[in-house]
Amino acid sequence: MILHSTGGDSQKVSLPQAIANGIAPDGGLYMPDTFPKLPNALFNNLPDMQLQEIAFVIANTLFGEVVPASELKQIVFDALDFEVPLRRVKDRIYSCELFHGPTLTFKDVWARLMARLLPKLDPAFGIPRDIIVATSGDSGAAVADGFSRAANTRVLVLYPKGELSRQQIAGFAQVRNVVAIEVDGSFDQCQAMAKEVVRANAASPHPRRRLTSANSIHQPPAPVARNHMLFPRLRTGGRASSGQRGGVCRALRQPRQSLGRAYGKNNGAAGQKIYRRQQCQRRVC
């Protein structure tokens, strides 16, 4: 997979290079030039497949040239060891429940997958690894839990002073390999700080530690980590016909989080609508 920067002033890179950089030198975000097609067998066997099996097929399609299939399968099944039920609301309206993970947030899905994929896609070769993330509540706990078993890894969590509850702070501050950093500013300022630190580290010719941003807006897009977007689209109709449009309701905070929807559309699962988090009333794609 070849990726380009949304800034337009950086060279195209491979997926492992994009993972290693986190952010393009021009400050842009990495996006894929093209998406590989999912195999037809996936759509033919959907009624009998579980979430983990669907995620493995997507992962193998995207990363099979970099990570052996046997390792990918173990990664996916280990990361997604909790239920992600799809509940019918009425007619062809469904709700995808994303709060059954260890930290009860939808970010458990991508954080656990990325924590396990990262060492395979971007080996540190013995160099200590730092994961930096800005949080307004959910990301910190999900990333801390996801990387809690990662060897030789430290998680730096930046959070805005006075904007998180004690329970939210405890969700990441009490994890063994986490450094919690309170910032006298807003979440946007925390995120800007994390971005600048990653860019400065990438510019260093001989960094002593590998530094990667865990904020989803900074991560090179991995649709397998967004499979919770593609999963309901596939399970509620697969390659939907033009007369069978349904709706899936789930939380979206950033436009980039509709990546799973775009990937599904690119592969023919174009029948469902996606709604934003505000009472799931605003359709975004």
Side-chain angles (χ1 to χ4, degrees):
M1 181 185 293
I2 302 300
L3 299 95
H4 62 271
S5 170
T6 56
D9 294 325
S10 295
Q11 293 183 343
K12 294 185 178 183
V13 298
S14 66
L15 180 61
Q17 288 175 306
I19 292 288
N21 294 345
I23 301 170
D26 61 10
L29 306 178
Y30 284 116
M31 295 294 287
D33 282 357
T34 59
F35 285 115
K37 289 287 186 179
L38 293 171
N40 288 328
L42 170 65
F43 297 92
N44 296 334
N45 297 315
L46 274 175
D48 301 318
M49 296 179 70
Q50 299 301 314
L51 170 66
Q52 296 87 346
E53 296 170 320
I54 295 174
F56 166 66
V57 173
I58 299 172
N60 197 43
T61 301
L62 294 170
F63 309 129
E65 295 182 357
V66 182
V67 184
S70 58
E71 294 184 22
L72 272 177
K73 187 171 185 179
Q74 182 177 357
I75 287 171
V76 170
F77 276 72
D78 179 57
L80 300 178
D81 62 350
F82 52 90
E83 184 182 12
V84 182
L86 190 63
R87 310 289 190 191
R88 182 190 296 272
V89 179
K90 65 175 182 179
D91 301 326
R92 291 183 57 82
I93 304 296
Y94 297 83
S95 174
C96 188
E97 295 184 358
L98 302 170
F99 49 80
H100 296 278
T103 70
L104 309 181
T105 72
F106 74 94
K107 295 188 177 181
D108 282 322
V109 177
W110 74 262
R112 289 170 63 83
L113 280 167
M114 291 308 298
R116 290 155 177 78
L117 277 171
L118 186 58
K120 302 294 183 181
L121 298 175
D122 175 37
F125 301 110
I127 301 175
R129 187 190 300 276
D130 283 338
I131 306 297
I132 187 168
V133 59
T135 185
S136 58
D138 293 345
S139 298
V143 172
D145 178 82
F147 284 90
S148 62
R149 293 187 294 166
N152 211 19
T153 300
R154 180 176 61 178
V155 179
L156 311 175
V157 181
L158 281 62
Y159 66 97
K161 181 179 180 179
E163 294 189 19
L164 275 67
S165 68
R166 290 184 178 180
Q167 182 178 6
Q168 287 175 311
I169 296 173
F172 54 81
Q174 295 181 357
V175 180
R176 64 169 183 83
N177 60 336
V178 168
V179 178
I181 304 171
E182 185 181 67
V183 177
D184 190 5
S186 65
F187 167 73
D188 289 341
Q189 289 174 307
C190 292
Q191 196 168 62
M193 291 173 63
K195 181 176 181 179
E196 184 55 37
V197 169
V198 171
R199 289 184 62 183
N201 185 78
S204 175
H206 303 290
R208 291 182 299 174
R209 301 182 69 93
R210 195 72 135 195
L211 181 65
T212 303
S213 171
N215 282 107
S216 56
I217 194 172
H218 297 161
Q219 273 291 333
V224 65
R226 304 285 187 216
N227 73 83
H228 56 284
M229 292 297 299
L230 186 53
F231 172 64
R233 297 182 60 76
L234 294 175
R235 290 304 292 269
T236 56
R239 297 184 187 273
S241 64
S242 59
Q244 294 180 321
R245 298 183 64 85
V248 176
C249 175
R250 64 133 300 194
L252 292 177
R253 296 184 61 182
Q254 300 156 350
R256 193 170 184 176
Q257 290 176 341
S258 61
L259 179 63
R261 191 271 183 189
Y263 190 45
K265 182 177 181 180
N266 185 62
N267 280 279
Q272 288 79 33
K273 307 172 185 177
I274 302 295
Y275 296 89
R276 282 187 65 91
R277 67 183 301 168
Q278 292 90 350
Q279 292 78 47
C280 296
Q281 292 177 345
R282 180 183 172 190
R283 177 185 172 190
V284 294
C285 52

